[in-house]
Amino acid sequence: MHCLSTSQRAIAQNLTQRETTPFFCYDLDQLAAHLIPLVDQQIVKLWYAVKANPLSRIIQTLDKAGFNFDVASNGELNQVLSQGISPERVLNTGPAKSLQQIRHFVAQGVRIFVAESHNQVIWLNQVANEYDIQLQVLLRVQLRFDKAEHNPLGGNTLTPFGLGCEQWQQLDLKEFKALEFVGLHIFQWGNMLSTETLAELWQAMVKPLLELADTLGIELKVLDLGGGLGIPYQPQQASLDWPSLVEALAQIKQQTGVEELWMELGRYAVGECGFYLNPVVEQKTNYGELQLIVSGGINHLLRPAVTGQAFPAQLLRDSAASEQKFHVHGPLCTALDHLGDLPLPADTSSGDWLVFSQCGAYGYTESMPFFLCHELPAEYVIENGKSICVRPSEPAASYLR
């Protein structure tokens, strides 16, 4: 499931003859094929969550597939627009929309926003009046359930995303004449791998969301279910079944009577198309345990330190040696720089390369590349079966002042 294809492996081996430091590679051919069934349905409108991977060639591939774009910062917006994408196809999400940021988005032509607070509603209305336009707004709702499994991202703990139903009910939406409140947004989970659990979560949300829309006087045209669709990082984990998800979404659409269902896909859209190549510095034994020290760590792949879950890894070359458990550590001077306890051939040693897969999302741009002043990783793409360097590796001198 997580192994490189024969052609990917050949390209990776060729690239390691050019590179001496860690690098990322994204297979755009694989990505384009993966996106076809996602957009080939009439149930849900899909937005790409740019936070997952903002590389220009990734954005261009999603654009060609027909995705719209969910952006959460000025930088993400500028990156999307620089690819020739119309601002009409941009949705602004994120918990920290300042008045200044809203002005920037509106000035660039964005007209659809998710409001996460009373202040954001006030600021959106203010900027809409300044520009003499009307903005479309979804209110982000944070629900709490008696059963914690209905909210697996954080149980019933407080998060910065949106407001509860009671808090939204304190706002008189009729006061904001420059805003068209088109719907509600809810997203309270991450990397879900169970189609049944997702369907259960969506069903649990219908009643409170419909009641809130009725109380606020919103004609619920749009229901945005966010993302949270996962990909497997462990061999025993199964992938989500997209056709079954679409069936569950069709039921939600019928129950709520909305004109449109929206989702913002990040990891599920691009996660499986990327891999990360990492040279081994040395193997050593300590207190009876095998360790590998590798050139890149959480400065390039922070997710293992945040989640406690490793990216799948394999040795790039063939080996007949038996597999052993290795504690794999990166080059940073912190014990947090641990990429996982991974099964690898016992003869893995200095000069070898490890391939970490499932790295198309939440890889380099989620990480901490400046700590200890190591090189920034190169980024390659595979397109039409050939590798292209999108960004070469850069030394610390390129960013140190």
Side-chain angles (χ1 to χ4, degrees):
M1 180 191 306
H2 307 306
C3 296
L4 271 62
S5 68
T6 301
S7 61
Q8 288 174 335
R9 188 180 184 89
I11 288 172
Q13 289 172 330
N14 181 59
L15 292 176
T16 59
Q17 302 304 308
R18 302 188 218 168
E19 298 288 340
T20 58
T21 57
F23 61 92
F24 287 89
C25 187
Y26 313 105
D27 191 334
L28 301 184
D29 299 331
Q30 177 187 352
L31 175 58
H34 170 64
L35 297 177
I36 291 172
L38 301 189
V39 298
D40 188 22
Q41 44 78 30
Q42 304 298 318
I43 301 301
V44 59
K45 181 176 182 176
L46 297 178
W47 308 74
Y48 173 57
V50 176
K51 65 179 180 178
N53 190 331
L55 190 72
S56 57
R57 299 298 287 269
I58 295 284
I59 291 173
Q60 291 166 16
T61 304
L62 283 140
D63 177 32
K64 291 176 183 177
F67 271 68
N68 298 286
F69 295 88
D70 157 30
V71 303
S73 70
N74 290 352
E76 286 187 352
L77 174 63
N78 297 341
Q79 171 72 335
V80 168
L81 297 182
S82 69
Q83 310 311 313
I85 293 160
S86 167
E88 296 175 355
R89 295 170 55 207
V90 170
L91 168 68
N92 181 207
T93 63
K97 298 180 198 70
S98 65
L99 178 59
Q100 181 181 19
Q101 178 177 304
I102 291 169
R103 282 200 181 104
H104 176 75
F105 272 68
V106 170
Q108 296 299 315
V110 177
R111 297 294 182 263
I112 311 173
F113 294 82
V114 173
E116 311 238 6
S117 68
H118 291 189
N119 281 329
Q120 289 185 14
V121 172
I122 293 168
W123 295 333
L124 286 163
N125 192 70
Q126 177 182 335
V127 175
N129 281 321
E130 290 173 3
Y131 281 79
D132 193 24
I133 57 175
Q134 188 172 56
L135 299 176
Q136 292 185 317
V137 176
L138 292 82
L139 304 181
R140 181 160 185 175
V141 182
Q142 186 177 146
L143 292 179
R144 288 186 170 182
F145 296 97
D146 293 334
K147 293 184 178 180
E149 62 265 26
H150 285 149
N151 188 0
L153 186 59
N156 284 335
T157 58
L158 189 67
T159 74
F161 305 110
L163 293 172
C165 294
E166 182 179 347
Q167 287 70 43
W168 280 126
Q169 289 168 10
Q170 297 169 10
L171 201 64
D172 185 358
L173 302 187
K174 294 190 295 294
E175 295 181 2
F176 306 99
K177 306 296 185 184
L179 304 181
E180 179 188 5
F181 294 95
V182 296
L184 301 175
H185 178 289
I186 184 166
F187 171 36
Q188 297 182 211
W189 49 86
N191 199 39
M192 298 291 292
L193 287 172
S194 169
T195 303
E196 293 75 16
T197 300
L198 278 167
E200 181 186 356
L201 284 163
W202 293 333
Q203 287 291 340
M205 297 183 312
V206 170
K207 185 175 184 290
L209 292 178
L210 289 179
E211 289 175 350
L212 177 60
D214 183 63
T215 301
L216 293 174
I218 295 177
E219 181 186 350
L220 199 58
K221 298 178 181 179
V222 177
L223 180 58
D224 188 332
L225 299 175
L229 278 62
I231 61 172
Y233 290 95
Q234 303 298 323
Q236 69 274 15
Q237 293 176 324
S239 299
L240 286 169
D241 181 56
W242 178 249
S244 296
L245 285 173
V246 172
E247 289 181 12
L249 290 167
Q251 293 180 11
I252 297 298
K253 190 173 185 179
Q254 183 178 25
Q255 285 179 267
T256 56
V258 295
E259 296 176 11
E260 294 185 0
L261 277 183
W262 293 358
M263 294 191 77
E264 294 99 40
L265 303 185
R267 185 196 324 267
Y268 189 73
V270 301
E272 295 186 300
C273 82
F275 48 96
Y276 170 70
L277 280 293
N278 196 354
V280 176
V281 175
E282 65 170 324
Q283 178 193 140
K284 63 181 183 181
T285 302
N286 195 17
Y287 288 100
E289 301 281 349
L290 292 171
Q291 294 179 302
L292 287 179
I293 313 301
V294 292
S295 292
I298 60 175
N299 53 325
H300 298 166
L301 290 177
L302 184 61
R303 187 179 184 276
V306 173
T307 66
Q309 187 177 53
F311 285 92
Q314 63 185 115
L315 184 63
L316 182 58
R317 67 171 172 83
D318 293 327
S319 172
S322 62
E323 284 192 343
Q324 301 289 329
K325 184 185 80 172
F326 285 91
H327 303 277
V328 181
H329 302 271
L332 305 185
C333 297
T334 169
L336 291 173
D337 195 8
H338 179 225
L339 296 182
D341 299 334
L342 299 167
L344 293 163
D347 62 351
T348 304
S349 61
S350 176
D352 282 328
W353 286 78
L354 299 185
V355 186
F356 293 80
S357 55
Q358 309 294 79
C359 294
Y362 303 115
Y364 174 43
T365 57
E366 188 190 38
S367 298
M368 43 190 294
F370 304 125
F371 188 39
L372 258 72
C373 304
H374 286 280
E375 297 87 354
L376 300 181
E379 288 187 295
Y380 286 84
V381 297
I382 299 172
E383 191 168 31
N384 297 322
K386 297 181 179 180
S387 63
I388 303 166
C389 184
V390 178
R391 188 187 65 207
S393 174
E394 297 177 353
S398 66
Y399 58 84
L400 290 176
R401 298 294 182 268

